[in-house]
Amino acid sequence: MGLEANIRHVTPYVPGEQPRQKVIKLNTNENPYPPAPGAMEMLHQMDPEKLRMYPDPEIKMLTECLASRYQVRPEQVFVGVGSDDVLAMSFLTFFNSGKPVLFPDITYSFYKVWAELYRVPYTCPSLDGTMHIRAEDYCGENGGIILANPNAPTGLYESLDVIEKILKENPGVVVIVDEAYIDFAGKPSAVSLVDRYENLLVTQTFSKSRSMAGVRIGFAIGNERLIRWLLDVKYSFNSYTLSALAILCGTKAVEDETYFQKTTSQIIATRERTKRRMAALGFEFPDSSANFLFARHPKYDGEVLFQALRQRQIYVRHWNQSKIREYLRITIGTEEEMETLYEALEEILKS
Amino acid sequence: MGLEANIRHVTPYVPGEQPRQKVIKLNTNENPYPPAPGAMEMLHQMDPEKLRMYPDPEIKMLTECLASRYQVRPEQVFVGVGSDDVLAMSFLTFFNSGKPVLFPDITYSFYKVWAELYRVPYTCPSLDGTMHIRAEDYCGENGGIILANPNAPTGLYESLDVIEKILKENPGVVVIVDEAYIDFAGKPSAVSLVDRYENLLVTQTFSKSRSMAGVRIGFAIGNERLIRWLLDVKYSFNSYTLSALAILCGTKAVEDETYFQKTTSQIIATRERTKRRMAALGFEFPDSSANFLFARHPKYDGEVLFQALRQRQIYVRHWNQSKIREYLRITIGTEEEMETLYEALEEILKS
């Protein structure tokens, strides 16, 4: 009774299911290819000393490696336990004005959860009829902005012109561009803008394009001042967030640019083929720039399709939520996995 | 200018140094022995699939293993990225009354940092002349209590009678007992009290007795309701805090009870020998129940000793802070490391 009164009550984010049995898993946007061979080798030869001792709290090795890969200074890079960790700390660090933070009504549903966790007010402008954002919705008074680009679950990419307009109109607040899926876009990252806009923070993850969802690595790139404030909060939360294992594997993965390009191109090629096959089956979808397709069928209910696929051991993501109830979010797997999906859908649509 | 106004400004915790060169490192209470052989084997044979996919957000394998080891139900166990992560989330979850949280003036200095991060007011009763807490200091109105037992940096253990008195006097607030060092105490853990006090949360870590500081695992055991509230906050922060690597290695470590007992006993034996040797050198110290000694020499300045050891490539911890300025906190290393320490101290004390 007394106890309960002082608890921070929250409604947590619900991640996609992690089934234990063998299924075709197209529900959490994982990469179907294994991580870079160098990362695996590193693990397979791991020195016990690395486990015994605390890791480098500054995560220097990986920070410097990322800085070099993205052509920024190490002081412009922040590393965390997946981009969720980076974003959670960013909400805590940057959104303290008391004014509402802005993000679209249809986007990564964790934004709302973080806002509620930290008691940050928020407003969610609607996407337009084509599922794009309207830049003018993000140009009034606000306490900060967060946009996923490409957006999830739509997969739509907004041009840097749109992002720049929003950055220019909001010099006094932090604008976060969550680029979890940017490597599949084949289009420019907002990282190219960090030296010009001191209010810009760009986040990315190792969970998708780098096949390391299980290792938990994400990062932010931005102005040195923003990174410094973020580091202060991180060091006030946990000195050692990233394990020595993650630091070493992550560095090896970034060093293997060839493997990264090869697997990423393969997923993009499969996605483009998936668009043709799904269109042929009568599905409609925004033109995805990510490693998933957000698709609906004009004649079939989303929930019905979701359950029918599930019965066939194919897991996709479905939200029982207004505006997107008719859609399935389907992760791009291997060619073989996608073939099994098309066959299953053909069968379901015929029945 | 505008940007800075809405930032959460904090003064972060400063962890002990992680030197890159080869030194005798007795400054961060790491375990001198390698992690359980099974944990290393697990890493050396790691399946790439474990990296590619998201880990189990519920961390079931490790949670169930800990529940069985500590004879509680899995619903009474919470796992995080080191006990710092568990404690940071506990501050956020439990200390929302607006009344001051209580912890001793001399204790783990991160408590103050978490309180400041989350804007939780706090009061710090002084330790008594023997460096023990006074139970009555924790029996007035307050917003929660956190006690390290054994305390750091003193190493002193408080009996469960003292803990129980505090639990009974504070039914309406959460009392956290931070047992990072309990496995070196050879004395009962407050885990035995969790079924009797619904306001008790006990935290422990894999960083000390389990030789896994680099892997980042900590956990809490308490009443199911406390654990559920803590999980809600965790799932509102980051669905997947623990990497698949940490979950697997951690489980293997807990399964090897024999290795755990062997290395822990060895450290306790070395600590008792260290007490005799240090006393012979004229040092004074509280009777440590942890894997470190908190020692001062009546004739030598703490800072001077710290620097002299450092010049000899022996790193210990020293705080330039009132009341403890004269003390060094010396981690118990291997027998060989401690021999080198005694020799260095003999030399320094003679000069």
Side-chain angles (χ1 to χ4, degrees), chain A residues 53-58 235 238-240, chain B residues 12-20 23 25-30 84 108-110 181 208 213 306 310 315-319 329 331:
Chain A
M53 305 236 291
Y54 281 101
D56 172 16
E58 297 179 38
Y235 290 128
N238 188 353
S239 306
Y240 313 97
Chain B
Y13 176 78
V14 180
E17 221 173 321
Q18 291 294 349
R20 291 185 169 196
V23 301
K25 194 169 172 304
L26 307 174
N27 70 333
T28 53
N29 297 343
E30 285 141 340
D84 285 349
Y108 186 30
S109 55
F110 222 134
Y181 300 102
K208 318 294 183 188
F306 171 75
R310 201 180 146 95
Y315 283 51
V316 300
R317 194 90 201 260
H318 173 256
W319 290 270
R329 192 197 65 189
T331 303

Side-chain angles (χ1 to χ4, degrees), chain B residues 113-301:
Chain B
V113 175
W114 287 314
E116 285 175 359
L117 175 64
Y118 296 124
R119 312 306 191 217
V120 174
Y122 58 93
T123 304
C124 299
S126 296
L127 294 178
D128 72 14
T130 66
M131 288 196 165
H132 281 278
I133 63 167
R134 277 178 285 243
E136 57 272 28
D137 290 342
Y138 299 87
C139 295
E141 200 186 26
N142 65 71
I145 293 167
I146 178 160
L147 298 168
N149 196 33
N151 195 10
T154 65
L156 282 175
Y157 174 86
E158 302 294 342
S159 77
L160 291 194
D161 289 349
V162 173
I163 303 293
E164 275 203 81
K165 177 172 163 53
I166 293 171
L167 285 165
K168 278 181 191 153
E169 292 283 339
N170 291 281
V173 300
V174 176
V175 177
I176 300 175
V177 181
D178 171 359
E179 293 191 337
Y181 300 102
I182 192 71
D183 294 323
F184 305 110
K187 287 165 188 159
S189 157
V191 167
S192 60
L193 304 176
V194 294
D195 283 329
R196 275 193 286 146
Y197 298 94
E198 62 166 14
N199 56 334
L200 168 63
L201 190 80
V202 182
T203 61
Q204 294 192 14
T205 177
F206 280 51
S207 299
K208 318 294 183 188
S209 56
R210 297 193 185 274
S211 302
M212 284 194 168
V215 186
R216 318 306 306 121
I217 309 175
F219 60 98
I221 294 179
N223 179 277
E224 290 186 24
R225 255 194 339 161
L226 297 190
I227 299 300
R228 170 47 45 202
W229 288 325
L230 204 45
L231 281 170
D232 280 348
V233 164
K234 173 234 149 124
Y235 289 128
S236 295
F237 183 89
N238 188 352
S239 307
Y240 312 97
T241 51
L242 234 64
S243 74
L245 309 172
I247 296 172
L248 287 163
C249 288
T251 305
K252 283 290 164 194
V254 177
E255 284 170 0
D256 195 343
E257 184 67 18
T258 310
Y259 184 83
F260 169 77
Q261 293 296 348
K262 195 180 83 177
T263 49
T264 306
S265 312
Q266 179 60 60
I267 291 166
I268 293 171
T270 305
R271 178 190 69 209
E272 295 308 309
R273 199 165 303 123
T274 303
K275 288 178 186 172
R276 295 192 291 276
R277 296 292 296 268
M278 294 292 283
L281 288 168
F283 281 90
E284 298 169 352
F285 40 85
D287 189 30
S288 172
S289 292
N291 71 335
F292 55 81
L293 217 60
F294 193 53
R296 69 170 171 187
H297 198 289
K299 299 191 189 140
Y300 294 83
D301 181 65

Side-chain angles (χ1 to χ4, degrees), chain A residues 189-209:
Chain A
S189 157
V191 167
S192 60
L193 304 175
V194 295
D195 283 330
R196 276 192 285 146
Y197 298 94
E198 62 165 18
N199 55 335
L200 169 63
L201 190 80
V202 183
T203 63
Q204 294 192 15
T205 177
F206 279 52
S207 299
K208 319 293 182 187
S209 55

Side-chain angles (χ1 to χ4, degrees), chain B residues 23-44:
Chain B
V23 301
I24 295 189
K25 194 169 172 304
L26 307 174
N27 70 333
T28 53
N29 297 343
E30 285 141 340
N31 195 310
Y33 303 108
M40 290 312 301
E41 241 169 72
M42 171 59 78
L43 271 186
H44 290 165

